[in-house]
Each structure stands twice: as structure tokens, then as C-alpha cells.
Amino acid sequence: GFTDVVLHGMAGPLNGEQERHLAIVRESSLHLLELINDVLDMSRIEAGQLRLHPVTFDVGELLRRRLRAFETAARDRGLELLLEVDPATGSAVGDPLRVAQVVGNLVANALKFTEAGRIEVSSRRCGGQVEISVRDTGIGIAPEHLPELFEPFRQFRSPSGHRHEGTGLGLAISRNLARAMGGDVWVTSVVGEGSTFTLVLPACAAQAA
């Protein structure tokens, strides 16, 4: 918080080198905060202490709000970030904050492993469920890695051998959150073509009937 205050010039002007160093401090702090939150979430899940507040929420509205946070990152990387909400999607049942967390994890992963092309987020209703899919044109995942993809602390290298930043907890947390809300997360992938992660949640009972 104080780093933001200084970077915004509220404590006086900075020279270029000072601003660059403080920006590194801020980025490192945010990365550490993400790591701590992931570890805490995983600990709560394993201890059975995860608290959810399920309500009925509008899926399209939640997706539109959540994707705004990724527009700049996608643009900076030269990627298209697309959203397609089927009009029949309607509402789902779950904890909106946790659903937004799962969607954010899936989109962040797609950005991390996509060098060119696009990321498409879509939603539809299928019987008594709502499906939210995040499809990318990234490096894809080898078939032998798929069974362990949702295990905690699992990280996979890109074909170039580069290991991307992260805790290796995002997908494990996402699947556990989805299942705690009566849904699930699964993936299909083709190496060199991209991956599709799908979050499934219960549809609003009135619409599912």
C-alpha cells in the first residue's frame, strides 16, 4: 500500500531509477501476496475449513466484470481476449467471489501459456448445469501430464524448457472450489494447438427445470 502511495507521487516526485526499483518491489509484493493466499486457500480446503456463500448470480455479468482485469495484460501481449455468453446461459448457483477466483485462475493460466492468437471465454447452459469454458491457442499440454495437472504444486515447463512463475496451486484450488460448489473443472488439450478448461456449476433451479 505504501509502495503505491510513493509510486503515485503522493510523497513527492521520484526519479526514473527510483520509480523502476519501487515498481519491482510492488510486483514482488503482489506475487508474494498471491502465493500466501494460495497456500492459505489450500490449507483451508485440506482442513475442511473452506467457507462458501452460495447464491444465484448472473453468469454473463460476472464474466464481463472479471475479464476487465485481464484486458490490459492481453493487449500488452498482442492477444485477443474474447467473451461469448450464450443468451440461454442465465444464472448459476455458487459463491460469486470464488467463481470469479476460478475464472481468474483459468484466464491467467491461458495468458501465461499463450504466445500468440487468442483466448476465448464462453458460457452456455447444458441441462441442469452451466458451463464456462476458457479456450486458448497456447502451447497445449502433453497427454501424459493431464492426469496430474490438478495436483498441488505441479508446474510444467514449456517446450522451450522455461518454467513459468506461480505456486502450482491455482488449478488444484480451482477444482476443489468448483467441487465444493457442486461442480467441477476439467481440461482438454492438444500440444501445439491449445487447451480448453471448463468450469461446470449448477444452473439456477428455475432455469434448469
Side-chain angles (χ1 to χ4, degrees), residues 1-14:
F2 281 110
T3 306
D4 281 336
V5 168
V6 177
L7 280 171
H8 283 91
M10 299 172 68
L14 299 171

Side-chain angles (χ1 to χ4, degrees), residues 8-205:
H8 283 91
M10 299 172 68
L14 299 171
N15 63 43
E17 193 68 8
Q18 289 171 330
E19 186 171 346
R20 186 177 72 85
H21 288 169
L22 277 173
I24 293 172
V25 172
R26 182 181 183 276
E27 183 178 347
S28 298
S29 299
L30 291 174
H31 179 65
L32 180 60
L33 179 62
E34 179 186 357
L35 187 151
I36 292 170
N37 285 334
D38 281 351
V39 171
L40 287 174
D41 274 346
M42 202 68 211
S43 298
R44 293 188 187 104
I45 289 169
E46 291 180 345
Q49 298 297 317
L50 182 68
R51 294 182 180 179
L52 297 173
H53 304 282
V55 296
T56 299
F57 64 92
D58 184 276
V59 175
E61 181 60 27
L62 183 146
L63 292 178
R64 281 185 282 271
R65 290 199 314 268
R66 191 67 187 95
L67 290 193
R68 289 189 194 115
F70 296 95
E71 289 175 351
T72 300
R75 185 168 56 249
D76 289 347
R77 297 193 51 149
L79 300 172
E80 285 187 279
L81 181 59
L82 308 173
L83 173 62
E84 182 179 350
V85 178
D86 189 306
T89 301
S91 299
V93 178
D95 185 326
L97 289 177
R98 294 300 191 173
V99 174
Q101 179 181 349
V102 174
V103 172
N105 281 341
L106 299 182
V107 174
N109 265 1
L111 283 169
K112 192 184 302 183
F113 292 99
T114 304
E115 296 296 331
R118 63 191 179 277
I119 295 162
E120 302 173 353
V121 181
S122 62
S123 69
R124 66 171 187 156
R125 186 163 68 88
C126 185
Q129 296 179 318
V130 167
E131 294 183 358
I132 300 170
S133 295
V134 178
R135 181 180 298 105
D136 64 58
T137 56
I139 61 176
I141 305 163
E144 64 268 22
H145 290 154
L146 291 177
E148 53 189 304
L149 190 63
F150 293 94
E151 293 180 10
F153 301 108
R154 289 289 183 180
Q155 290 180 299
F156 300 105
R157 297 181 185 272
S158 65
S160 65
H162 175 66
R163 183 181 290 276
H164 295 265
E165 287 187 1
T167 62
L169 287 173
L171 289 177
I173 290 171
S174 294
R175 172 168 277 182
N176 277 283
L177 287 174
R179 288 179 173 178
M181 291 185 285
D184 206 349
V185 176
W186 65 73
V187 61
T188 58
S189 187
V190 177
V191 174
E193 295 185 13
S195 304
T196 301
F197 285 84
T198 301
L199 165 65
V200 177
L201 294 168
C204 176

